Amino acid sequence: MTRNNHISIRQLLIGACTAGALLFTSACAQNSTFGSGTSGESSSSSVAIAVMYPETGQYAEYGKMFKQGLDLGVKQVNADGGVQGKKLELKYFDTQSDPKQTAAIAPKIAADKSVVAVVGDYSSGASMAASPTFQQAKLVHYGFNNSASDFTSTGDYVWTPQFSQAVFQKQNAELVAQKAKKIAAVYIENDWGKSAYAEFKKEAKELGISIVYESSYLADSTDLSPILIPARDAKPDAVVHIGYGPDGALVVNTLRDKLGYTGLFYGGQITQEYIKLSGSNGEGTRLIGPFTPDSTNPNAAKFVKAFRAAYKTDPGEFNQTSYASIIDLAYGMNKTSATREGVEKALKTVDDFPCYVGTKTTFKFNQSTRRMDSTSFLKLELTDGKFQITD
């Protein structure tokens, strides 16, 4: 994963869009939709959370999963009495997880006084393009899916319950080291992919794993044979992929169908999209993750039951993280106040947020990093079309 000469146009736009966010307010109106049966501004009897997410575009599958979790979270909160007696509602903004679009809509969200917090986006790069505007407005930006190591660097109003890649990749490397000492590695060529791989590479070397081949690939690649042929020919004990679900499926399908590779594969993503796209080639995929529908965590089990009842299917990690973000913010406000100030105070003072990942049942925030204080991960293997806990 070290071909860093591939730089997407999207990456080059991030800095320019962040600096120019205030120039784009008029471009945002057509991007907003309202969830939970709402329209227009929140009334005095309700409180709103803004959502930046990819309803359309290449990451729309993730947006769909987010919306399922978010809507279920709001339904649960309102069934339990709302937030300080007020009805909770969501204001959705389709960003396509594009930094240019998140930077453009951020001023509109910040100016809406009914909004007490903002959640999203899917990618850390898209989220970080909007964060400076929220920081200036003293509006908490809760990036529930954002694991980039520098995500919270914008300021003290930027928080995430998500683990950092430094933490995640340490445990990922430990999983790989259980069965492989010589690996080939490929990773997605974007800011997140480069930083995640850097963390993995550092940990792998400390564990004595020899990386005999590494390469990056563009997010919109359709043929990965040129970089995977040398990966196969390096005769690794395993191929390690760091990226998303669709590109993970492309990697494993290319290795199995075109190149005849039969060895271990680490990567992919805990989504139905990855399972469907990889098919039989995905069987045996190993990875670590914070959540599975079979989790014995009582909070997770309760969520899985509610999700199955609502959608007649099992939830995935992205359903869980989005759901938990709403529960987190509502839980915190019910201990402080249903205001922007109340959200910030809660994240600084509440020490028993309900935890849905790993085996812990509560968590608090590390006030220095503004991340979940600690995280444990599950070792998973794709078996019979389902990610199951393994040794």
Side-chain angles (χ1 to χ4, degrees):
M1 301 186 184
T2 55
R3 293 183 184 172
N4 293 332
N5 56 315
H6 300 306
I7 301 178
S8 69
I9 293 175
R10 178 174 297 176
Q11 288 173 269
L12 294 174
L13 289 171
I14 292 176
C17 295
T18 302
L22 295 177
L23 299 178
F24 292 90
T25 54
S26 63
C28 310
Q30 70 268 28
N31 289 334
S32 65
T33 56
F34 294 85
S36 305
T38 66
S39 62
E41 298 294 321
S42 296
S43 68
S44 60
S45 61
S46 63
V47 61
I49 293 173
V51 179
M52 300 188 303
Y53 84 127
E55 181 182 7
T56 60
Q58 65 174 321
Y59 300 123
E61 182 67 20
Y62 297 95
K64 178 181 177 181
M65 290 184 282
F66 285 162
K67 192 171 189 303
Q68 288 177 322
L70 293 163
D71 287 346
L72 184 61
V74 168
K75 180 180 178 181
Q76 182 65 56
V77 168
N78 288 332
D80 290 342
V83 179
Q84 297 287 355
K86 295 183 177 183
K87 180 182 177 181
L88 181 62
E89 61 182 37
L90 300 179
K91 294 189 174 184
Y92 282 98
F93 295 84
D94 178 17
T95 65
Q96 297 188 344
S97 201
D98 179 347
K100 181 169 63 175
Q101 295 193 47
T102 58
I105 69 167
K108 178 180 177 67
I109 294 173
D112 185 346
K113 298 303 182 183
S114 71
V115 173
V116 296
V118 56
V119 299
D121 205 301
Y122 166 64
S123 76
S124 294
S127 289
M128 292 172 73
S131 289
T133 299
F134 301 135
Q135 175 68 22
Q136 184 176 18
K138 297 184 177 181
L139 174 64
V140 165
H141 183 188
Y142 201 66
F144 64 84
N145 193 58
N146 302 138
S147 61
S149 297
D150 59 346
F151 172 69
T152 61
S153 64
T154 301
D156 54 356
Y157 284 85
V158 183
W159 299 72
T160 176
Q162 195 61 260
F163 42 84
S164 73
Q165 283 302 309
V167 173
F168 184 84
Q169 295 302 337
K170 182 179 187 300
Q171 295 186 43
N172 189 25
E174 290 171 349
L175 177 70
V176 173
Q178 288 182 344
K179 292 182 177 291
K181 296 302 179 184
K182 185 174 70 171
I183 67 168
V186 294
Y187 68 99
I188 193 167
E189 178 68 31
N190 60 22
D191 287 344
W192 175 87
K194 288 187 289 186
S195 63
Y197 179 63
E199 296 290 351
F200 173 83
K201 184 176 182 179
K202 179 181 70 174
E203 297 296 339
K205 288 189 174 182
E206 289 185 4
L207 292 170
I209 298 174
S210 175
I211 302 175
V212 294
Y213 173 81
E214 56 186 10
S215 177
S216 64
Y217 58 87
L218 295 175
D220 58 357
S221 298
T222 57
D223 182 8
L224 296 180
S225 297
I227 68 167
L228 292 177
I229 289 172
R232 177 202 62 188
D233 292 348
K235 301 187 184 306
D237 298 331
V239 172
V240 175
H241 158 261
I242 294 177
Y244 306 140
D247 48 280
L250 179 60
V251 170
V252 75
N253 286 338
T254 303
L255 286 169
R256 305 296 194 209
D257 291 338
K258 293 185 177 181
L259 306 182
Y261 174 76
T262 59
L264 292 171
F265 179 74
Y266 292 81
Q269 207 166 36
I270 311 171
T271 64
Q272 288 300 315
E273 184 179 30
Y274 173 75
I275 294 172
K276 180 179 179 181
L277 291 175
S278 66
S280 61
N281 291 327
E283 288 288 304
T285 296
R286 294 174 62 86
L287 47 69
I288 61 169
F291 168 83
T292 173
D294 296 326
S295 173
T296 57
N297 182 310
N299 294 328
K302 181 179 178 181
F303 159 68
V304 171
K305 182 178 180 180
F307 191 93
R308 286 171 174 164
Y311 300 112
K312 313 305 179 188
T313 189
D314 279 349
E317 176 184 350
F318 297 100
N319 302 124
Q320 176 270 312
T321 55
S322 55
Y323 170 87
S325 72
I326 299 303
I327 301 300
D328 291 345
L329 295 175
Y331 185 84
M333 285 189 284
N334 274 325
K335 290 202 168 190
T336 55
S337 65
T339 63
R340 293 185 178 188
E341 296 77 13
V343 173
E344 183 199 15
K345 181 179 179 181
L347 296 176
K348 289 182 174 180
T349 60
V350 174
D351 62 3
D352 64 344
F353 287 101
C355 187
Y356 294 82
V357 301
T359 57
K360 296 177 64 174
T361 57
T362 63
F363 79 94
K364 63 180 178 179
F365 281 93
N366 180 309
Q367 296 301 305
S368 297
T369 63
R370 293 184 299 284
R371 293 181 179 274
M372 182 184 290
D373 191 45
S374 62
T375 309
S376 58
F377 299 105
L378 305 171
K379 298 174 183 178
L380 304 173
E381 183 171 333
L382 183 55
T383 305
D384 296 329
K386 182 179 180 180
F387 278 105
Q388 301 186 39
I389 298 174
T390 187
D391 294 331

